[in-house]
Amino acid sequence: GAVVSQHPSWVICKSGTSVKIECRSLDFQATTMFWYRQFPKQSLMLMATSNEGSKATYEQGVEKDKFLINHASLTLSTLTVTSAHPEDSSFYICSAQAGQWNTGELFFGEGSRLTVL
Amino acid sequence: AQTVTQSQPEMSVQEAETVTLSCTYDTSESNYYLFWYKQPPSRQMILVIRQEAYKQQNATENRFSVNFQKAAKSFSLKISDSQLGDTAMYFCASSQGAQKLVFGQGTRLTINP
């Protein structure tokens, strides 16, 4: 199956700094990628939809100036958490669609755990 | 708006038993997909099974099968001959044409030896 890779898998940063998380589709082109956030023992919450070559679409309640998303190529989307604070500590997961949507499947990255001190 | 509800926060069965995880959903769309994803301790999301809403036949994948009741908006997952490796969080999810997945709260399934 299609492979989606995230990097880094684990990052610790100081409060006030910015952190960039990369999401790559390794063996397919992804025009659309999605970013999710998952708190401990909770479900995945969609943060934004990332479209190659255009601005991301953010879900209600997600601060677009704090969570910057860039989808500059068909194989890479990045999520930058700006001026991170301890409440931003979470598990961030990306997913990507391979092929036409009528296959009905998204492929997920391994996730990135962010800890803000 | 779509909603997905999993009413069983935790379940536990013995190895080789059959277990059924419940899921209900709500959508105003006529064309949508339903999914069950598995999230083991590694946190990697793994697709278990998917169902197209327009298909009446229940999807099956080896030991995994679903009971799709469209009128009742119910989509339960049955795991037969459960194995220790089935221990994980299981998320029910639905999507519409926009590809966005809406997840349920999850069910933590433990298979005991």
Side-chain angles (χ1 to χ4, degrees), chain A:
Chain A
V3 179
V4 176
S5 178
Q6 280 184 242
H7 178 80
S9 57
W10 198 354
V11 57
I12 301 174
C13 70
K14 294 182 179 180
S15 184
T17 60
S18 295
V19 174
K20 180 184 287 187
I21 300 171
E22 294 184 346
C23 177
R24 294 182 183 273
S25 55
L26 299 185
D27 50 3
F28 66 97
Q29 294 183 330
T31 55
T32 303
M33 291 184 174
F34 302 88
W35 287 95
Y36 294 83
R37 183 175 184 176
Q38 186 180 28
F39 289 108
K41 298 184 179 181
Q42 293 190 22
S43 187
L44 283 73
M45 299 299 295
L46 180 65
M47 299 175 65
T49 302
S50 170
N51 295 297
E52 186 267 336
S54 64
K55 292 184 178 180
T57 302
Y58 291 82
E59 295 299 303
Q60 189 174 9
V62 178
E63 299 176 61
K64 61 180 180 180
D65 294 330
K66 180 167 189 60
F67 298 100
L68 299 179
I69 292 173
N70 182 276
H71 194 156
S73 77
L74 287 172
T75 59
L76 173 64
S77 176
T78 60
L79 168 67
T80 301
V81 184
T82 62
S83 186
H85 291 283
E87 58 265 30
D88 298 323
S89 297
S90 188
F91 193 66
Y92 293 88
I93 306 174
C94 72
S95 68
Q97 173 195 333
Q100 297 299 315
W101 176 238
N102 57 12
T103 63
E105 183 172 3
L106 292 177
F107 296 91
F108 285 80
E110 316 95 315
S112 300
R113 182 179 300 282
L114 170 63
T115 301
V116 184
L117 302 177

Side-chain angles (χ1 to χ4, degrees), chain B residues 8-15 17-21 82 87 107-113:
Chain B
Q8 305 153 311
E10 295 186 16
M11 295 191 72
S12 178
V13 298
Q14 296 297 120
E15 192 176 7
E17 290 184 346
T18 294
V19 59
T20 299
L21 308 183
S82 57
T87 293
T107 297
R108 182 174 300 279
L109 175 64
T110 302
I111 309 300
N112 299 307

